[in-house]
């Protein structure tokens, strides 16, 4: 029967009026919270049943994901793209939560009632199909809590009812087995993704064409990615200099820099037929040449990758070329398009 502070309210025997009043008060104290909690504290729960809880792993050299379907709500996803940091994404079929701040907690499962819940803070809730996206540190914290056997709760008011709350639970059930597969995927990820190398600048020392170790690492990452992704078809290299020296010397220096990058790429296995080189001297600065840092930014070869076939280089006749540029080498023109910065 009811918890009645030691009163014998379940007996069918006659009880005194004062004991009867005590029983009524105890009953009210037990019933009233039940009328309130479902509307405020408990909220609208979205959680997978224990017997149907699953964690799904999608693995490739380009990205790894570890996700849990949440019935009638969407998915909870840990997503790691090559070259980037871990994210936790709450993917929702419908906009349930009101924009603002949601509470995140790590809660102990029913089989560990002695452990206390942990408040992990508040996070932003946004409009759209991914209302919650968490950064690297908190995403790793959520993974850690799931690994040690705790659930994750995310709670926020719904946009349609100020008195209740939406409660999304990410279950720890079956997490460890899927987590091991996810870790195996991380070990095979490429060092970079296409967005990170689609446009790359290789920098040079003053009046030099030698590739520095940091720039070689950039080129190595490009080669590693291109070897794994056959959809990349074309390389466009544009050589540049600062304004120190004559225009003729700078044009020659820009050409040698572009060729130095091409030589490194082809030696690493890139098809030379997929590479187009151009050189522009000091013509296209991206920073002012009046100070050292600006000149350092201008001494570069830009690399642009595309997934389209190589476009033919448009050449001008020597007469038109000399008239229009005045400082271009015979047979070479940058009129095929403005070089990328």
């Amino acid at each position: 029967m009811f918890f009645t502070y030691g009163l014998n309210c379940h007996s069918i025997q006659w009880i005194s009026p004062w004991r009867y009043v005590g029983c009524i008060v105890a009953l009210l104290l037990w019933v009233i919270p039940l009328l309130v909690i479902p509307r405020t504290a408990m909220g609208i729960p979205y959680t997978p049943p224990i017997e149907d809880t699953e964690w799904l792993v999608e693995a490739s050299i380009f990205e790894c994901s570890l996700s849990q379907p949440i019935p009638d709500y969407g998915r909870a996803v840990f997503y790691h793209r090559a070259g980037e940091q871990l994210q936790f994404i709450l993917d929702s079929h419908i906009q349930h939560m009101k924009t603002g701040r949601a509470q995140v907690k790590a809660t102990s499962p029913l089989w560990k009632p002695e452990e206390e819940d942990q408040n992990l803070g508040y996070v932003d809730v946004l409009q759209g199909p991914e209302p919650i996206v968490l950064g690297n540190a908190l995403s790793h914290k959520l993974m850690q809590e799931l690994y040690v056997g705790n659930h994750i709760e995310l709670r926020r008011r719904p946009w349609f009812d100020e008195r209740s709350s939406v409660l999304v639970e990410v279950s720890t059930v079956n997490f460890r087995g899927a987590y091991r597969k996810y870790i195996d995927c991380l070990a095979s990820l490429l060092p970079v993704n296409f967005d990170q190398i689609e446009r790359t600048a290789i920098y040079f020392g003053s009046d030099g064409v030698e590739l520095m170790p940091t720039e070689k690492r950039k080129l190595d990452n490009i080669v590693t990615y291109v070897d794994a992704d056959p959809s990349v078809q074309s390389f466009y290299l544009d050589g540049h200099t600062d304004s120190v020296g004559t225009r003729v010397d700078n044009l020659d220096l820009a050409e040698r820099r572009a060729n130095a990058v091409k030589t490194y790429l082809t030696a690493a296995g890139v098809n030379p037929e997929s590479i187009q080189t151009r050189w522009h001297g000091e013509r296209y600065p991206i920073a002012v040449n009046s100070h050292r840092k600006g000149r350092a930014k201008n001494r570069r070869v830009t690399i642009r990758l595309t997934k389209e076939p190589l476009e033919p280089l448009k050449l001008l006749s020597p007469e038109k070329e000399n008239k229009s540029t005045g400082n271009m080498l015979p047979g070479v023109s940058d009129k095929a398009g403005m070089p990328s910065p």
Side-chain angles (χ1 to χ4, degrees), residues 227-244:
D227 284 345
D229 186 358
S231 68
V232 179
Q233 300 185 49
S234 306
F235 293 70
Y236 295 91
L237 311 183
D238 289 276
H240 304 269
T241 69
D242 57 27
S243 62
V244 176

Side-chain angles (χ1 to χ4, degrees), residues 283-295:
R283 188 174 182 188
Y284 297 111
I286 59 171
V288 295
N289 281 299
S290 58
H291 56 79
R292 180 176 56 83
K293 290 184 178 180
R295 291 192 296 273

Side-chain angles (χ1 to χ4, degrees), residues 21 52 70 85 95 98 100 108-109 112 137-139 161 201 234 239 253 280 289 317 331 339:
V21 171
D52 294 330
I70 300 174
Q85 294 185 325
Q95 185 74 29
K98 183 178 180 180
S108 58
K112 295 196 299 183
L138 187 51
S139 297
D161 187 351
S234 306
L253 181 57
H280 316 281
N289 281 299
S317 65

Side-chain angles (χ1 to χ4, degrees), residues 80-99:
H80 199 140
R81 189 184 183 196
E84 298 181 4
Q85 294 185 325
L86 175 66
Q87 289 183 311
F88 172 83
I89 302 170
L90 188 62
D91 187 0
S92 177
H93 302 317
I94 313 172
Q95 185 74 29
H96 295 273
M97 295 182 177
K98 183 178 180 180
T99 57

Side-chain angles (χ1 to χ4, degrees), residues 8-44:
N8 187 19
C9 297
H10 61 281
S11 174
I12 59 175
Q13 300 175 0
W14 180 87
I15 57 178
S16 69
W18 288 112
R19 181 176 293 181
Y20 179 77
V21 171
C23 290
I24 295 298
V25 171
L27 177 61
L28 291 175
L29 290 174
W30 185 80
V31 171
I32 289 176
L34 296 180
L35 301 177
V36 177
I37 290 175
R39 296 287 294 172
T40 57
M42 293 180 62
I44 307 169

